[in-house]
Amino acid sequence: MNPSEIPSNDSFFGRFAERITKFSGSTAAFVGAAGTVVVWAATGPLFHYSETWQLVINTGTTIITFLMVFLIQRAQNKDSLVLHLKLNELIAATRGASNRLINAQDFSEKEIATLHNFYCRLVELAKQDADLGKTHSVEEAEDNHSEKLAAHEE
């Protein structure tokens, strides 16, 4: 997702969505929703549990759920983008880290599977290393492992 695809909090929609998202996760929102259900249930006998009475709660919850899906997705997109930016900063700033992983979220599934296999191989090589604090690349791990095997064979 491009940063330009996320509405700015300077826009009316950005401010509105941010406020609704924050409110919907609050205790007050939960109490309000629970109270609405209690009031609705209490009015059941008054309306003889009619189809219209049932339709009111069904329609209300469907509309709210439908709209909340989009607000939740918007918040998730923003959080995900921010997390990726923070991780990219750490990768870019860390000596020895592979810059190939910057923007890994944009990789194809095949590229992600290739990277996953790469790190699985690194884990296997690390398991063979007695020094748990040592970190290295796959190439360094393979060289280190080969050196250890050669030393043991002598």
Side-chain angles (χ1 to χ4, degrees):
M1 163 171 273
N2 292 329
S4 62
E5 293 176 13
I6 294 178
S8 167
N9 281 347
D10 294 337
S11 70
F12 171 76
F13 178 74
R15 290 188 311 273
F16 176 74
E18 194 72 30
R19 285 188 197 126
I20 295 296
T21 301
K22 285 180 182 177
F23 174 74
S24 66
S26 70
T27 302
F30 176 79
V31 169
T36 300
V37 171
V38 168
V39 168
W40 170 80
T43 61
L46 179 66
F47 293 103
H48 307 289
Y49 302 102
S50 68
E51 288 184 18
T52 303
W53 173 79
Q54 292 177 33
L55 188 62
V56 167
I57 197 74
N58 289 339
T59 303
T61 56
T62 300
I63 290 170
I64 290 169
T65 301
F66 178 75
L67 295 175
M68 287 304 296
V69 164
F70 295 101
L71 284 177
I72 291 167
Q73 186 61 52
R74 180 188 184 279
Q76 184 64 36
N77 289 347
K78 180 180 176 182
D79 289 347
S80 179
L81 180 60
V82 169
L83 180 63
H84 287 297
L85 291 172
K86 290 177 180 182
L87 290 172
N88 289 345
E89 173 65 14
L90 291 174
I91 291 168
T94 303
R95 178 181 228 153
S98 173
N99 286 341
R100 291 178 283 187
L101 292 179
I102 294 177
N103 285 337
Q105 70 275 8
D106 296 331
F107 290 177
S108 68
E109 287 187 28
K110 184 178 179 183
E111 290 168 320
I112 292 170
T114 300
L115 278 171
H116 178 75
N117 292 336
F118 174 87
Y119 286 106
C120 286
R121 176 74 178 129
L122 184 58
V123 167
E124 290 304 315
L125 293 169
K127 285 179 182 177
Q128 298 170 11
D129 195 346
D131 184 1
L132 296 176
K134 187 173 181 179
T135 60
H136 37 61
S137 67
V138 171
E139 294 81 8
E140 290 171 328
E142 288 173 341
D143 291 344
N144 187 25
H145 184 66
S146 297
E147 289 173 15
K148 285 182 180 180
L149 286 178
H152 288 298
E153 290 175 2
E154 292 177 358

PDB file of all heavy atoms in Angstrom, residues 5 8 14 16 23 27 37 39 43 47 55 58 61-62 68 76 87-88 106 118 126 138 142-143 145 148-150:
ATOM      1  N   GLU A   5      -2.290   6.258  -0.361  1.00  0.00           N
ATOM      2  CA  GLU A   5      -3.581   5.578  -0.373  1.00  0.00           C
ATOM      3  C   GLU A   5      -4.290   5.675   0.972  1.00  0.00           C
ATOM      4  O   GLU A   5      -5.470   5.392   1.073  1.00  0.00           O
ATOM      5  CB  GLU A   5      -3.409   4.110  -0.764  1.00  0.00           C
ATOM      6  CG  GLU A   5      -2.957   3.934  -2.201  1.00  0.00           C
ATOM      7  CD  GLU A   5      -2.701   2.480  -2.537  1.00  0.00           C
ATOM      8  OE1 GLU A   5      -3.098   1.594  -1.763  1.00  0.00           O
ATOM      9  OE2 GLU A   5      -2.097   2.228  -3.574  1.00  0.00           O
ATOM     10  N   SER A   8      -5.133  11.130   4.909  1.00  0.00           N
ATOM     11  CA  SER A   8      -4.419  11.897   5.914  1.00  0.00           C
ATOM     12  C   SER A   8      -5.352  12.247   7.059  1.00  0.00           C
ATOM     13  O   SER A   8      -6.544  12.440   6.868  1.00  0.00           O
ATOM     14  CB  SER A   8      -3.872  13.162   5.279  1.00  0.00           C
ATOM     15  OG  SER A   8      -3.437  14.062   6.270  1.00  0.00           O
ATOM     16  N   GLY A  14     -10.231  11.392   7.525  1.00  0.00           N
ATOM     17  CA  GLY A  14      -9.150  10.883   8.365  1.00  0.00           C
ATOM     18  C   GLY A  14      -9.400  11.148   9.835  1.00  0.00           C
ATOM     19  O   GLY A  14      -9.246  10.261  10.675  1.00  0.00           O
ATOM     20  N   PHE A  16     -12.334  11.875  11.242  1.00  0.00           N
ATOM     21  CA  PHE A  16     -13.566  11.173  11.624  1.00  0.00           C
ATOM     22  C   PHE A  16     -13.289   9.688  11.876  1.00  0.00           C
ATOM     23  O   PHE A  16     -13.688   9.142  12.904  1.00  0.00           O
ATOM     24  CB  PHE A  16     -14.620  11.352  10.530  1.00  0.00           C
ATOM     25  CG  PHE A  16     -15.886  10.592  10.776  1.00  0.00           C
ATOM     26  CD1 PHE A  16     -16.798  11.018  11.728  1.00  0.00           C
ATOM     27  CD2 PHE A  16     -16.163   9.440  10.046  1.00  0.00           C
ATOM     28  CE1 PHE A  16     -17.973  10.313  11.951  1.00  0.00           C
ATOM     29  CE2 PHE A  16     -17.334   8.731  10.274  1.00  0.00           C
ATOM     30  CZ  PHE A  16     -18.243   9.166  11.227  1.00  0.00           C
ATOM     31  N   PHE A  23     -12.947   5.457  19.571  1.00  0.00           N
ATOM     32  CA  PHE A  23     -14.140   5.304  20.403  1.00  0.00           C
ATOM     33  C   PHE A  23     -14.648   3.867  20.389  1.00  0.00           C
ATOM     34  O   PHE A  23     -15.036   3.334  21.426  1.00  0.00           O
ATOM     35  CB  PHE A  23     -15.261   6.247  19.950  1.00  0.00           C
ATOM     36  CG  PHE A  23     -16.545   6.013  20.705  1.00  0.00           C
ATOM     37  CD1 PHE A  23     -16.666   6.424  22.024  1.00  0.00           C
ATOM     38  CD2 PHE A  23     -17.609   5.355  20.107  1.00  0.00           C
ATOM     39  CE1 PHE A  23     -17.835   6.187  22.736  1.00  0.00           C
ATOM     40  CE2 PHE A  23     -18.775   5.109  20.806  1.00  0.00           C
ATOM     41  CZ  PHE A  23     -18.893   5.527  22.129  1.00  0.00           C
ATOM     42  N   THR A  27     -14.345   1.398  26.486  1.00  0.00           N
ATOM     43  CA  THR A  27     -15.313   0.801  27.412  1.00  0.00           C
ATOM     44  C   THR A  27     -16.693   1.414  27.199  1.00  0.00           C
ATOM     45  O   THR A  27     -17.705   0.703  27.232  1.00  0.00           O
ATOM     46  CB  THR A  27     -14.855   1.017  28.864  1.00  0.00           C
ATOM     47  OG1 THR A  27     -13.563   0.429  29.027  1.00  0.00           O
ATOM     48  CG2 THR A  27     -15.816   0.408  29.863  1.00  0.00           C
ATOM     49  N   VAL A  37     -28.493  -3.638  23.456  1.00  0.00           N
ATOM     50  CA  VAL A  37     -29.019  -5.010  23.382  1.00  0.00           C
ATOM     51  C   VAL A  37     -29.969  -5.282  24.552  1.00  0.00           C
ATOM     52  O   VAL A  37     -31.039  -5.888  24.374  1.00  0.00           O
ATOM     53  CB  VAL A  37     -27.865  -6.043  23.340  1.00  0.00           C
ATOM     54  CG1 VAL A  37     -28.388  -7.466  23.488  1.00  0.00           C
ATOM     55  CG2 VAL A  37     -27.056  -5.889  22.065  1.00  0.00           C
ATOM     56  N   VAL A  39     -31.775  -3.039  26.245  1.00  0.00           N
ATOM     57  CA  VAL A  39     -33.011  -2.282  25.999  1.00  0.00           C
ATOM     58  C   VAL A  39     -33.842  -2.975  24.929  1.00  0.00           C
ATOM     59  O   VAL A  39     -35.064  -3.127  25.070  1.00  0.00           O
ATOM     60  CB  VAL A  39     -32.695  -0.820  25.601  1.00  0.00           C
ATOM     61  CG1 VAL A  39     -33.938  -0.114  25.066  1.00  0.00           C
ATOM     62  CG2 VAL A  39     -32.112  -0.068  26.782  1.00  0.00           C
ATOM     63  N   THR A  43     -37.603  -4.680  25.483  1.00  0.00           N
ATOM     64  CA  THR A  43     -38.799  -4.228  24.760  1.00  0.00           C
ATOM     65  C   THR A  43     -39.467  -5.360  23.991  1.00  0.00           C
ATOM     66  O   THR A  43     -40.538  -5.150  23.401  1.00  0.00           O
ATOM     67  CB  THR A  43     -38.450  -3.081  23.775  1.00  0.00           C
ATOM     68  OG1 THR A  43     -37.508  -3.561  22.815  1.00  0.00           O
ATOM     69  CG2 THR A  43     -37.907  -1.870  24.510  1.00  0.00           C
ATOM     70  N   PHE A  47     -43.375  -5.371  22.248  1.00  0.00           N
ATOM     71  CA  PHE A  47     -43.650  -5.517  20.812  1.00  0.00           C
ATOM     72  C   PHE A  47     -44.040  -6.942  20.443  1.00  0.00           C
ATOM     73  O   PHE A  47     -44.054  -7.299  19.260  1.00  0.00           O
ATOM     74  CB  PHE A  47     -42.423  -5.068  19.994  1.00  0.00           C
ATOM     75  CG  PHE A  47     -42.161  -3.595  20.103  1.00  0.00           C
ATOM     76  CD1 PHE A  47     -41.129  -3.121  20.913  1.00  0.00           C
ATOM     77  CD2 PHE A  47     -42.946  -2.676  19.436  1.00  0.00           C
ATOM     78  CE1 PHE A  47     -40.868  -1.759  21.027  1.00  0.00           C
ATOM     79  CE2 PHE A  47     -42.704  -1.309  19.548  1.00  0.00           C
ATOM     80  CZ  PHE A  47     -41.662  -0.851  20.349  1.00  0.00           C
ATOM     81  N   LEU A  55     -36.174  -7.450  13.403  1.00  0.00           N
ATOM     82  CA  LEU A  55     -35.548  -6.800  12.263  1.00  0.00           C
ATOM     83  C   LEU A  55     -34.752  -5.564  12.675  1.00  0.00           C
ATOM     84  O   LEU A  55     -33.710  -5.264  12.098  1.00  0.00           O
ATOM     85  CB  LEU A  55     -36.613  -6.425  11.225  1.00  0.00           C
ATOM     86  CG  LEU A  55     -36.110  -5.917   9.883  1.00  0.00           C
ATOM     87  CD1 LEU A  55     -35.277  -6.992   9.193  1.00  0.00           C
ATOM     88  CD2 LEU A  55     -37.287  -5.520   9.002  1.00  0.00           C
ATOM     89  N   ASN A  58     -31.374  -6.787  14.001  1.00  0.00           N
ATOM     90  CA  ASN A  58     -30.627  -7.411  12.904  1.00  0.00           C
ATOM     91  C   ASN A  58     -30.116  -6.370  11.920  1.00  0.00           C
ATOM     92  O   ASN A  58     -28.949  -6.402  11.503  1.00  0.00           O
ATOM     93  CB  ASN A  58     -31.495  -8.437  12.169  1.00  0.00           C
ATOM     94  CG  ASN A  58     -31.748  -9.667  12.998  1.00  0.00           C
ATOM     95  OD1 ASN A  58     -31.015  -9.971  13.928  1.00  0.00           O
ATOM     96  ND2 ASN A  58     -32.820 -10.373  12.683  1.00  0.00           N
ATOM     97  N   THR A  61     -27.326  -4.086  13.694  1.00  0.00           N
ATOM     98  CA  THR A  61     -26.026  -4.743  13.855  1.00  0.00           C
ATOM     99  C   THR A  61     -25.365  -5.013  12.510  1.00  0.00           C
ATOM    100  O   THR A  61     -24.142  -4.920  12.389  1.00  0.00           O
ATOM    101  CB  THR A  61     -26.159  -6.059  14.651  1.00  0.00           C
ATOM    102  OG1 THR A  61     -27.109  -6.903  14.007  1.00  0.00           O
ATOM    103  CG2 THR A  61     -26.567  -5.792  16.086  1.00  0.00           C
ATOM    104  N   THR A  62     -26.142  -5.318  11.501  1.00  0.00           N
ATOM    105  CA  THR A  62     -25.569  -5.560  10.167  1.00  0.00           C
ATOM    106  C   THR A  62     -24.937  -4.291   9.615  1.00  0.00           C
ATOM    107  O   THR A  62     -23.810  -4.323   9.102  1.00  0.00           O
ATOM    108  CB  THR A  62     -26.645  -6.084   9.201  1.00  0.00           C
ATOM    109  OG1 THR A  62     -27.167  -7.307   9.717  1.00  0.00           O
ATOM    110  CG2 THR A  62     -26.082  -6.308   7.819  1.00  0.00           C
ATOM    111  N   MET A  68     -17.963  -0.989  10.282  1.00  0.00           N
ATOM    112  CA  MET A  68     -16.790  -1.211  11.134  1.00  0.00           C
ATOM    113  C   MET A  68     -15.721  -2.029  10.434  1.00  0.00           C
ATOM    114  O   MET A  68     -14.532  -1.837  10.696  1.00  0.00           O
ATOM    115  CB  MET A  68     -17.201  -1.889  12.449  1.00  0.00           C
ATOM    116  CG  MET A  68     -17.938  -0.964  13.398  1.00  0.00           C
ATOM    117  SD  MET A  68     -17.034   0.544  13.816  1.00  0.00           S
ATOM    118  CE  MET A  68     -15.636  -0.111  14.668  1.00  0.00           C
ATOM    119  N   GLN A  76      -5.931  -1.166  10.421  1.00  0.00           N
ATOM    120  CA  GLN A  76      -4.958  -2.245  10.224  1.00  0.00           C
ATOM    121  C   GLN A  76      -3.946  -1.877   9.142  1.00  0.00           C
ATOM    122  O   GLN A  76      -2.752  -2.141   9.288  1.00  0.00           O
ATOM    123  CB  GLN A  76      -5.674  -3.545   9.860  1.00  0.00           C
ATOM    124  CG  GLN A  76      -4.750  -4.735   9.737  1.00  0.00           C
ATOM    125  CD  GLN A  76      -4.071  -5.081  11.041  1.00  0.00           C
ATOM    126  OE1 GLN A  76      -4.651  -4.971  12.110  1.00  0.00           O
ATOM    127  NE2 GLN A  76      -2.829  -5.508  10.967  1.00  0.00           N
ATOM    128  N   LEU A  87      10.399  -1.436  10.810  1.00  0.00           N
ATOM    129  CA  LEU A  87      11.290  -2.560  10.526  1.00  0.00           C
ATOM    130  C   LEU A  87      12.289  -2.217   9.431  1.00  0.00           C
ATOM    131  O   LEU A  87      13.469  -2.582   9.512  1.00  0.00           O
ATOM    132  CB  LEU A  87      10.477  -3.798  10.131  1.00  0.00           C
ATOM    133  CG  LEU A  87       9.671  -4.426  11.261  1.00  0.00           C
ATOM    134  CD1 LEU A  87       8.761  -5.520  10.718  1.00  0.00           C
ATOM    135  CD2 LEU A  87      10.586  -4.979  12.332  1.00  0.00           C
ATOM    136  N   ASN A  88      11.832  -1.494   8.414  1.00  0.00           N
ATOM    137  CA  ASN A  88      12.741  -1.069   7.347  1.00  0.00           C
ATOM    138  C   ASN A  88      13.848  -0.186   7.901  1.00  0.00           C
ATOM    139  O   ASN A  88      15.001  -0.296   7.499  1.00  0.00           O
ATOM    140  CB  ASN A  88      11.978  -0.341   6.242  1.00  0.00           C
ATOM    141  CG  ASN A  88      11.110  -1.281   5.432  1.00  0.00           C
ATOM    142  OD1 ASN A  88      11.252  -2.498   5.484  1.00  0.00           O
ATOM    143  ND2 ASN A  88      10.187  -0.713   4.692  1.00  0.00           N
ATOM    144  N   ASP A 106       6.278  -6.385  -0.091  1.00  0.00           N
ATOM    145  CA  ASP A 106       5.895  -6.260  -1.495  1.00  0.00           C
ATOM    146  C   ASP A 106       6.368  -7.442  -2.345  1.00  0.00           C
ATOM    147  O   ASP A 106       6.115  -7.472  -3.541  1.00  0.00           O
ATOM    148  CB  ASP A 106       6.471  -4.960  -2.084  1.00  0.00           C
ATOM    149  CG  ASP A 106       5.887  -3.722  -1.419  1.00  0.00           C
ATOM    150  OD1 ASP A 106       4.727  -3.791  -0.960  1.00  0.00           O
ATOM    151  OD2 ASP A 106       6.587  -2.700  -1.347  1.00  0.00           O
ATOM    152  N   PHE A 118      15.544 -19.899   2.928  1.00  0.00           N
ATOM    153  CA  PHE A 118      16.864 -19.370   3.266  1.00  0.00           C
ATOM    154  C   PHE A 118      17.020 -19.328   4.786  1.00  0.00           C
ATOM    155  O   PHE A 118      18.006 -19.798   5.347  1.00  0.00           O
ATOM    156  CB  PHE A 118      16.999 -17.973   2.645  1.00  0.00           C
ATOM    157  CG  PHE A 118      18.245 -17.223   3.003  1.00  0.00           C
ATOM    158  CD1 PHE A 118      19.409 -17.394   2.265  1.00  0.00           C
ATOM    159  CD2 PHE A 118      18.251 -16.317   4.046  1.00  0.00           C
ATOM    160  CE1 PHE A 118      20.555 -16.682   2.566  1.00  0.00           C
ATOM    161  CE2 PHE A 118      19.391 -15.599   4.357  1.00  0.00           C
ATOM    162  CZ  PHE A 118      20.548 -15.785   3.618  1.00  0.00           C
ATOM    163  N   ALA A 126      22.430 -22.941  12.449  1.00  0.00           N
ATOM    164  CA  ALA A 126      22.620 -22.369  13.779  1.00  0.00           C
ATOM    165  C   ALA A 126      22.450 -23.432  14.855  1.00  0.00           C
ATOM    166  O   ALA A 126      23.129 -23.387  15.889  1.00  0.00           O
ATOM    167  CB  ALA A 126      21.641 -21.221  14.002  1.00  0.00           C
ATOM    168  N   VAL A 138      23.810 -17.253   6.063  1.00  0.00           N
ATOM    169  CA  VAL A 138      23.847 -18.661   5.661  1.00  0.00           C
ATOM    170  C   VAL A 138      25.243 -19.021   5.175  1.00  0.00           C
ATOM    171  O   VAL A 138      25.781 -20.072   5.525  1.00  0.00           O
ATOM    172  CB  VAL A 138      22.788 -18.958   4.571  1.00  0.00           C
ATOM    173  CG1 VAL A 138      22.972 -20.344   3.994  1.00  0.00           C
ATOM    174  CG2 VAL A 138      21.391 -18.812   5.136  1.00  0.00           C
ATOM    175  N   GLU A 142      27.525 -21.817   6.808  1.00  0.00           N
ATOM    176  CA  GLU A 142      28.038 -22.969   6.057  1.00  0.00           C
ATOM    177  C   GLU A 142      29.547 -23.054   6.156  1.00  0.00           C
ATOM    178  O   GLU A 142      30.109 -24.134   6.358  1.00  0.00           O
ATOM    179  CB  GLU A 142      27.593 -22.881   4.591  1.00  0.00           C
ATOM    180  CG  GLU A 142      26.111 -23.168   4.407  1.00  0.00           C
ATOM    181  CD  GLU A 142      25.615 -22.918   2.993  1.00  0.00           C
ATOM    182  OE1 GLU A 142      26.286 -22.189   2.221  1.00  0.00           O
ATOM    183  OE2 GLU A 142      24.541 -23.457   2.666  1.00  0.00           O
ATOM    184  N   ASP A 143      30.245 -21.911   6.023  1.00  0.00           N
ATOM    185  CA  ASP A 143      31.708 -21.905   6.152  1.00  0.00           C
ATOM    186  C   ASP A 143      32.130 -22.335   7.544  1.00  0.00           C
ATOM    187  O   ASP A 143      33.039 -23.148   7.710  1.00  0.00           O
ATOM    188  CB  ASP A 143      32.271 -20.512   5.845  1.00  0.00           C
ATOM    189  CG  ASP A 143      32.142 -20.131   4.384  1.00  0.00           C
ATOM    190  OD1 ASP A 143      31.906 -21.041   3.541  1.00  0.00           O
ATOM    191  OD2 ASP A 143      32.264 -18.925   4.083  1.00  0.00           O
ATOM    192  N   HIS A 145      30.439 -24.141   9.681  1.00  0.00           N
ATOM    193  CA  HIS A 145      30.136 -25.559   9.856  1.00  0.00           C
ATOM    194  C   HIS A 145      31.182 -26.426   9.145  1.00  0.00           C
ATOM    195  O   HIS A 145      31.644 -27.427   9.698  1.00  0.00           O
ATOM    196  CB  HIS A 145      28.731 -25.859   9.327  1.00  0.00           C
ATOM    197  CG  HIS A 145      28.293 -27.271   9.552  1.00  0.00           C
ATOM    198  ND1 HIS A 145      28.082 -27.783  10.801  1.00  0.00           N
ATOM    199  CD2 HIS A 145      28.039 -28.281   8.675  1.00  0.00           C
ATOM    200  CE1 HIS A 145      27.718 -29.046  10.698  1.00  0.00           C
ATOM    201  NE2 HIS A 145      27.685 -29.372   9.420  1.00  0.00           N
ATOM    202  N   LYS A 148      34.338 -26.466  11.171  1.00  0.00           N
ATOM    203  CA  LYS A 148      34.201 -27.333  12.346  1.00  0.00           C
ATOM    204  C   LYS A 148      34.326 -28.805  11.957  1.00  0.00           C
ATOM    205  O   LYS A 148      34.983 -29.588  12.651  1.00  0.00           O
ATOM    206  CB  LYS A 148      32.865 -27.091  13.043  1.00  0.00           C
ATOM    207  CG  LYS A 148      32.794 -25.830  13.839  1.00  0.00           C
ATOM    208  CD  LYS A 148      31.444 -25.735  14.523  1.00  0.00           C
ATOM    209  CE  LYS A 148      31.342 -24.470  15.331  1.00  0.00           C
ATOM    210  NZ  LYS A 148      30.052 -24.373  15.996  1.00  0.00           N
ATOM    211  N   LEU A 149      33.681 -29.167  10.858  1.00  0.00           N
ATOM    212  CA  LEU A 149      33.765 -30.556  10.406  1.00  0.00           C
ATOM    213  C   LEU A 149      35.206 -30.909  10.057  1.00  0.00           C
ATOM    214  O   LEU A 149      35.693 -32.002  10.408  1.00  0.00           O
ATOM    215  CB  LEU A 149      32.859 -30.793   9.216  1.00  0.00           C
ATOM    216  CG  LEU A 149      31.353 -30.852   9.493  1.00  0.00           C
ATOM    217  CD1 LEU A 149      30.585 -31.050   8.200  1.00  0.00           C
ATOM    218  CD2 LEU A 149      31.025 -31.968  10.468  1.00  0.00           C
ATOM    219  N   ALA A 150      35.883 -30.014   9.378  1.00  0.00           N
ATOM    220  CA  ALA A 150      37.289 -30.259   8.996  1.00  0.00           C
ATOM    221  C   ALA A 150      38.161 -30.370  10.243  1.00  0.00           C
ATOM    222  O   ALA A 150      39.053 -31.225  10.300  1.00  0.00           O
ATOM    223  CB  ALA A 150      37.792 -29.134   8.095  1.00  0.00           C
TER     224      ALA A 150
END
